[in-house]
Amino acid sequence: MLEGVLIAESLQTGAKLTGVPLQITKLTRIEVTNAGDDQPRLWTLLDFAAEESEAQHLADQLASCLSSSGGWYTDFHTPSDTFVIFANKVFSYPRGQAEGRREAQDYGRSVGIPEQQLDWRD
């Protein structure tokens, strides 16, 4: 299984995620103290799981659904790999690999994601 978290507010208007069966494992509404300038202070977190065989397809689908403004990304993990997804960009690297993490973080900074939000777990 793969597991991840998606912030509902990160989806662009009209986005449709299709063709990947997701199981929502938890839904949480939080107030964020470190929201970026273009991000709302209230977020809806969708913890999800899916079959590991769907990882690349799910990553590609999410990349087409995420808003390119506001500094958003989502991430998920398989037992062996970490996927970090931005609008129209997917990073995948072996869990714990510093170089892969650094490349994804550098890209995140380049698209305006606040430093304190570049904190996904591997």
Side-chain angles (χ1 to χ4, degrees):
M1 293 295 286
L2 64 81
E3 297 178 330
V5 177
L6 176 64
I7 300 168
E9 290 74 16
S10 70
L11 298 171
Q12 61 183 310
T13 301
K16 291 183 182 180
L17 180 64
T18 59
V20 179
L22 291 181
Q23 177 185 4
I24 302 301
T25 59
K26 184 168 69 170
L27 181 106
T28 311
R29 185 86 165 140
I30 63 170
E31 185 171 358
V32 179
T33 58
N34 64 352
D37 293 338
D38 294 330
Q39 296 174 336
R41 292 185 56 86
L42 296 175
W43 291 4
T44 307
L45 307 179
L46 302 167
D47 290 54
F48 64 87
E51 292 296 325
E52 185 177 350
S53 62
E54 297 288 346
Q56 189 61 56
H57 182 63
L58 175 59
D60 293 340
Q61 286 282 313
L62 287 168
S64 69
C65 290
L66 290 175
S67 177
S68 59
S69 63
W72 297 106
Y73 74 92
T74 191
D75 65 288
F76 64 80
H77 315 280
T78 69
S80 59
D81 296 306
T82 296
F83 288 77
V84 184
I85 302 100
F86 303 89
N88 304 309
K89 184 80 169 170
V90 174
F91 289 86
S92 171
Y93 58 90
R95 290 182 78 167
Q97 183 194 61
E99 181 180 337
R101 181 181 182 88
R102 186 179 63 252
E103 287 177 12
Q105 286 176 321
D106 287 347
Y107 183 81
R109 288 180 193 101
S110 78
V111 295
I113 295 175
E115 187 67 33
Q116 64 273 21
Q117 292 179 16
L118 296 171
D119 62 347
W120 61 86
R121 62 179 179 87
D122 282 333

